[in-house]
Amino acid sequence: MTCYQLLNQWYFMDYLQKCFLLKLIFLGGLPTWGIVGLPDTSVKESKERIKSAIKNTGLRLESRRIIINLSPADTKKEGAIYDLPMAIGILLANGDIENINLEDTILIGELSLSGKVNRINGAFPIALEAEKIGMKRIILPKENAKEASIVQNIEVIGVESLKEVIEYLTKKKNIARERNEINNIFNNNSKYNVDFKDIKGQENVKRALEVAAAGGHNVLLVRTSSVLGKTFSAKCLPSILPDLELEESLEITKIHSVAGLISENMSLITKRPFRAPHHTISSASLVRTEEIYQSPGEISLSHGGVLFLDELTEFSKYTLELLRGPLEDRNNKYK
């Protein structure tokens, strides 16, 4: 019996900032895989992705009985971000890679059948939490490296494939640390696509929006013969809101990272968000809660910015009732 445990050295995390331990054991008997620790379907299916990815690296995975435990067992594990740490754990236990240093290192990433490491959601909050618990290095998909590199006190290594991870860990290949300058990001990406000065006329509407922006008030725009361009005026509202402070920017970036709205070339949200959901939106999509969904709803995505409900009367009564709490308490209890 071979047992391989990565205790006090090697962790992996999900984007809800929960830290997990991985334990792996090889047993005698019929060749099969077992993943325990409350995994969902996508985690259970990882064995097929891992098998194919390891084969495409040129290594041979022997047919053995493999049991993988994701601890703590009472916390549900969701998503494919555990593929990379499980694959590395299997290769370590099998003796395919040796003499590597994984101390204070976190690995996350989804594997494709070809062995490519695909991008994940929530890389930024994972890197932020990794820094808080004292980790020194994080290995993650190349496409997520820019957003994770906002965290200054942790070494961010972006990889494109499982083979590249193995070569890096065995020191056959050197991968430079991803770096980012926060000040440059703020200076170069703080301009809005539409500006409040582009509104022509409509002095009453502009005055109402200015008062709302100054005091953080809600606004109801009702069309009359003299009020036109409500939607465009609302889209221009973020441009007169105060510039984002660093702490606000980090909060908004964390939310958008979990939702998968951070592109490969984007690292930090520097403009206040503007969200305009369609009137057919479901209540779940509007006010998703962490207890039920791991993806934020429109209320959370508009945090620090503007939530615009166009054609308000077309929204369902139940959906509008859900907004009563956040509007009265001025706090999103659903996030």
Side-chain angles (χ1 to χ4, degrees):
M1 180 176 69
T2 302
C3 181
Y4 196 87
Q5 300 184 0
L6 300 166
L7 294 175
N8 302 320
Q9 293 187 27
W10 187 36
Y11 300 81
F12 59 99
M13 306 177 70
D14 70 0
Y15 43 68
L16 289 182
Q17 303 178 28
K18 297 183 179 74
C19 184
F20 300 111
L21 282 173
L22 183 149
K23 301 179 184 178
L24 186 144
I25 186 170
F26 283 173
L27 297 172
L30 294 174
T32 183
W33 283 51
I35 301 176
V36 296
L38 213 58
D40 73 347
T41 304
S42 61
V43 178
K44 292 178 181 177
E45 290 175 346
S46 65
K47 58 185 179 182
E48 303 301 333
R49 296 191 294 270
I50 294 171
K51 284 180 185 177
S52 180
I54 291 177
K55 182 179 179 181
N56 282 302
T57 61
L59 298 174
R60 181 183 177 185
L61 182 61
E62 296 181 7
S63 297
R64 305 173 72 175
R65 187 181 180 193
I66 303 173
I67 305 297
I68 298 173
N69 179 47
L70 307 179
S71 176
D74 60 348
T75 303
K76 189 172 184 180
K77 321 300 186 303
E78 298 182 357
I81 66 173
Y82 315 118
D83 290 3
L84 183 58
M86 285 193 285
I88 295 298
I90 290 170
L91 293 174
L92 280 168
N94 202 42
D96 292 304
I97 51 179
E98 298 176 339
N99 301 322
I100 65 172
N101 180 21
L102 287 174
E103 186 175 356
D104 296 331
T105 298
I106 283 181
L107 297 99
I108 50 172
E110 175 188 340
L111 292 176
S112 68
L113 297 179
S114 64
K116 182 179 182 294
V117 181
N118 295 328
R119 76 180 305 275
I120 60 169
N121 295 342
F124 174 64
I126 291 174
L128 205 59
E129 189 66 16
E131 180 192 31
K132 288 181 182 178
I133 64 175
M135 296 293 110
K136 304 298 183 184
R137 178 175 60 174
I138 181 169
I139 300 174
L140 77 176
K142 181 72 173 178
E143 297 174 54
N144 295 110
K146 274 194 176 296
E147 60 173 298
S149 62
I150 292 298
V151 183
Q152 300 294 308
N153 298 322
I154 190 169
E155 185 181 4
V156 177
I157 304 297
V159 294
E160 296 182 346
S161 66
L162 178 60
K163 184 177 181 180
E164 190 175 31
V165 177
I166 296 170
E167 291 176 345
Y168 170 73
L169 292 176
T170 55
K171 298 183 179 180
K172 294 179 180 178
K173 182 177 182 178
N174 183 45
I175 301 178
R177 171 182 178 176
E178 189 75 28
R179 297 183 182 275
N180 234 326
E181 292 294 334
I182 295 180
N183 292 333
N184 292 338
I185 297 172
F186 265 96
N187 294 334
N188 299 329
N189 300 287
S190 58
K191 293 183 178 180
Y192 293 88
N193 295 327
V194 291
D195 196 277
F196 200 73
K197 66 182 181 181
D198 297 329
I199 304 175
K200 307 302 181 184
Q202 306 297 337
E203 298 302 325
N204 291 334
V205 176
K206 288 194 287 186
R207 176 59 180 163
L209 292 177
E210 288 168 357
V211 172
H217 305 299
N218 303 305
V219 180
L220 177 64
L221 298 176
V222 181
R223 179 175 180 178
T224 65
S225 58
S226 60
V227 178
L228 301 174
K230 303 187 301 299
T231 300
F232 180 74
S233 299
K235 288 181 179 178
C236 295
L237 180 57
S239 67
I240 61 170
L241 293 174
D243 293 337
L244 283 176
E245 299 291 338
L246 178 59
E247 288 301 318
E248 286 183 298
S249 179
L250 293 176
E251 281 186 9
I252 295 171
T253 302
K254 284 196 289 185
I255 296 171
H256 283 69
S257 177
V258 171
L261 299 178
I262 306 293
S263 66
E264 182 180 356
N265 297 320
M266 184 190 302
S267 53
L268 194 66
I269 302 293
T270 57
K271 296 181 286 189
R272 295 193 177 273
F274 178 85
R275 304 294 299 183
H278 194 263
H279 62 80
T280 58
I281 188 175
S282 66
S283 57
S285 297
L286 186 67
V287 296
R288 285 175 177 163
T289 60
E290 180 180 304
E291 289 78 10
I292 303 175
Y293 302 96
Q294 288 197 352
S295 180
E298 290 293 334
I299 292 181
S300 296
L301 290 172
S302 64
H303 174 69
V306 177
L307 176 64
F308 177 56
L309 303 181
D310 201 7
E311 304 296 341
L312 184 66
T313 56
E314 298 294 329
F315 285 80
S316 70
K317 179 182 178 181
Y318 178 67
T319 300
L320 295 178
E321 285 291 335
L322 290 172
L323 293 173
R324 183 190 300 273
L327 288 175
E328 290 180 349
D329 300 338
R330 302 183 69 83
N331 179 46
N332 180 15
K333 63 180 180 180
Y334 299 113
K335 65 182 179 180

